[in-house]
């Protein structure tokens, strides 16, 4: 449960929704990121965590939060940050990997056959802190590829089936809230600013 400074946290609401923790933002941002980035005791040794990050409305920082979570987890586990927004300009820009060589979405073929997570990870661009990034491309060449929920689900399944622990952080569009992608997530983070329109939109998404 998140509340704005100066608080205090609404503990009654926290109990009603069975929240594990309550945080005051932005004062406890570090603690929040630490909690979201922790190893979950319910996760098996061989399976990584899959976290989807979705903004209730546009421009609320969902992509930024996804990138921060991925960087946090990459300090301990092999981590891939996935750009799951079809209209995105490329999440590789956000993490400074736009000029790094490596495969982007149009180069991948998760639905065209069996691919190994190890091979995919080697092909992807990596940040300086060794975080893998699966991003959309900005090529001006006409390309028939269109990112869709089925393609994204296949990618998540590929990484989740890895012999080694691979954490997956996915930047998601709100209009995919009812898609098959949700079935692959360990957690879904819905970013909702303190605005009437955003809260109304979040209610529809929920």
């Amino acid at each position: 449960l998140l509340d704005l400074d100066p608080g205090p946290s609404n503990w009654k609401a926290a109990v009603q929704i069975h929240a594990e923790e309550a945080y005051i933002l932005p004062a406890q941002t570090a603690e929040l990121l630490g909690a979201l980035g922790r190893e979950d005791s319910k996760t098996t040794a061989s399976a990584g965590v899959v976290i989807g990050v979705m903004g209730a409305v546009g421009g609320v920082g969902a992509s930024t939060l996804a990138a921060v979570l991925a960087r946090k987890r990459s300090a301990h586990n092999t981590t891939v940050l996935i750009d799951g927004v079809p209209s995105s300009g490329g999440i590789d820009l956000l993490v400074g990997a736009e000029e790094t060589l490596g495969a982007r979405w149009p180069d991948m073929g998760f639905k065209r056959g069996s691919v190994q997570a190890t091979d995919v990870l080697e092909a992807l661009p990596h940040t300086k802190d060794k975080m893998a990034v699966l991003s959309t491309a900005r090529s001006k060449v006409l390309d028939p590829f269109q990112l869709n929920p089925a393609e994204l689900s296949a990618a998540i399944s590929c990484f989740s089936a890895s012999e080694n622990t691979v954490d997956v952080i996915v930047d998601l569009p709100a209009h995919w809230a009812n898609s098959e992608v949700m079935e692959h997530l360990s957690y879904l983070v819905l970013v909702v600013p303190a605005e009437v329109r955003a809260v109304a939109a979040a209610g529809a998404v929920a």
Side-chain angles (χ1 to χ4, degrees):
L1 177 68
L2 307 182
D3 288 302
L4 293 175
D5 273 334
S9 293
N10 187 339
W11 290 106
K12 183 177 180 180
V15 171
Q16 290 176 338
I17 66 173
H18 306 289
E20 291 183 16
E21 302 285 351
Y23 298 96
I24 301 296
L25 298 180
Q28 292 183 290
T29 300
E31 290 89 337
L32 170 63
L33 294 177
L36 291 174
R38 75 182 187 275
E39 288 294 334
D40 196 292
S41 59
K42 297 178 183 178
T43 303
T44 63
S46 59
V49 68
V50 182
I51 303 176
V53 183
M54 178 183 293
V57 293
V60 297
S63 298
T64 300
L65 179 58
V68 171
L69 287 175
R71 284 191 181 278
K72 179 74 175 179
R73 296 199 70 86
S74 67
H76 305 285
N77 289 330
T78 300
T79 302
V80 57
L81 172 64
I82 298 182
D83 192 349
V85 182
S87 59
S88 168
I91 206 166
D92 53 351
L93 283 164
L94 185 60
V95 297
E98 68 273 15
E99 295 184 359
T100 303
L101 296 177
R104 265 67 176 179
W105 267 118
D107 305 312
M108 309 308 298
F110 293 103
K111 293 180 63 182
R112 294 196 294 268
S114 178
V115 290
Q116 298 297 317
T118 303
D119 296 333
V120 176
L121 288 170
E122 288 182 1
L124 294 177
H126 289 70
T127 61
K128 293 181 179 180
D129 47 1
K130 299 182 180 180
M131 177 181 70
V133 182
L134 177 53
S135 177
T136 55
R138 290 171 299 282
S139 173
K140 295 181 180 179
V141 178
L142 184 62
D143 194 305
F145 175 81
Q146 291 291 330
L147 180 60
N148 56 58
E151 192 75 38
L152 179 55
S153 296
I156 296 174
S157 296
C158 171
F159 294 121
S160 297
S162 174
E163 295 181 355
N164 302 314
T165 300
V166 178
D167 288 338
V168 180
I169 312 297
V170 191
D171 183 22
L172 291 169
H175 64 274
W176 283 4
N178 293 324
S179 72
E180 61 194 87
V181 175
M182 299 297 107
E183 301 174 6
H184 298 275
L185 303 181
S186 308
Y187 304 97
L188 174 64
V189 179
L190 183 60
V191 184
V192 189
E195 301 170 356
V196 174
R197 174 173 168 265
V199 172
V205 171

